[in-house]
């Protein structure tokens, strides 16, 4: 059964896309820890990052690097990269800008307008 992320890549579920290339897709987390919380995923569905074929593993980290640098330039904040790997059975990397209001385990409720504003700011 396809994960929610595979359904996002297929276009079956909408997302606030930030970046896409041949092998990766990046979008805003709908349960963000901070404004600008982005998820970067490989387009192929595997549960764990270390299960990715080498080519897709490298492509994922190249996209993470490119997006994190862009986020730092646009937002003016250092970006934290996290691989948790337990919340969705599809490999992914969390990119979260450092925010003085961040609290572990806390998520924000954002309006559609707020999501679209952040998407426009971060889109590549």
């Amino acid at each position: 059964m396809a994960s929610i992320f595979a359904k996002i890549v297929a276009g079956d579920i909408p997302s606030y896309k930030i970046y896409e290339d041949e092998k990766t897709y990046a979008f805003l987390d709908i349960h963000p820890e901070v404004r600008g919380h982005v998820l970067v995923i490989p387009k192929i569905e595997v549960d764990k990052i270390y299960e990715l074929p080498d080519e897709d593993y490298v492509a994922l980290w190249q996209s993470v690097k490119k997006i994190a640098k862009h986020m730092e330039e646009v937002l003016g904040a250092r970006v934290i990269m996290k691989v948790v790997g337990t919340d969705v059975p599809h490999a992914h990397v969390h990119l979260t800008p450092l925010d003085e209001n961040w609290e572990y385990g806390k998520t924000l409720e954002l309006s559609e307008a707020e999501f679209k504003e952040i998407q426009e700011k971060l889109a590549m």
Side-chain angles (χ1 to χ4, degrees), residues 35-93:
R35 289 175 59 87
H37 182 169
V38 172
L39 299 174
V40 186
I41 65 173
K43 287 187 173 178
I44 66 166
E45 184 177 22
V46 298
D47 186 12
K48 302 170 195 112
I49 283 183
Y50 51 83
E51 293 176 338
L52 283 167
D54 291 345
E55 185 177 317
D56 294 276
Y57 180 88
V58 170
L60 176 66
W61 287 105
Q62 287 174 331
S63 292
V64 165
K65 180 179 179 179
K66 180 187 302 184
I67 296 163
K69 284 182 174 184
H70 174 73
M71 289 172 66
E72 284 189 350
E73 290 171 10
V74 171
L75 300 174
R78 186 174 183 147
V79 174
I80 300 169
M81 295 181 270
K82 297 186 294 184
V83 176
V84 181
T86 57
D87 47 346
V88 176
H90 187 129
H92 60 286
V93 178

Side-chain angles (χ1 to χ4, degrees), residues 90-108:
H90 187 129
H92 60 286
V93 178
H94 294 259
L95 297 177
T96 53
L98 277 177
D99 182 301
E100 62 189 36
N101 299 315
W102 177 82
E103 291 180 36
Y104 182 77
K106 178 183 169 191
T107 59
L108 303 177

Side-chain angles (χ1 to χ4, degrees), residues 11-32:
D12 298 333
I13 295 176
S15 68
Y16 297 99
K17 181 172 73 170
I18 300 302
Y19 175 81
E20 181 177 15
D21 63 26
E22 182 181 311
K23 294 196 170 284
T24 65
Y25 191 90
F27 55 98
L28 295 177
D29 191 316
I30 60 166
H31 300 292

Side-chain angles (χ1 to χ4, degrees), residues 4-13 25:
I4 190 169
F5 291 170
K7 291 175 182 176
I8 288 171
V9 169
D12 298 333
I13 295 176
Y25 191 90

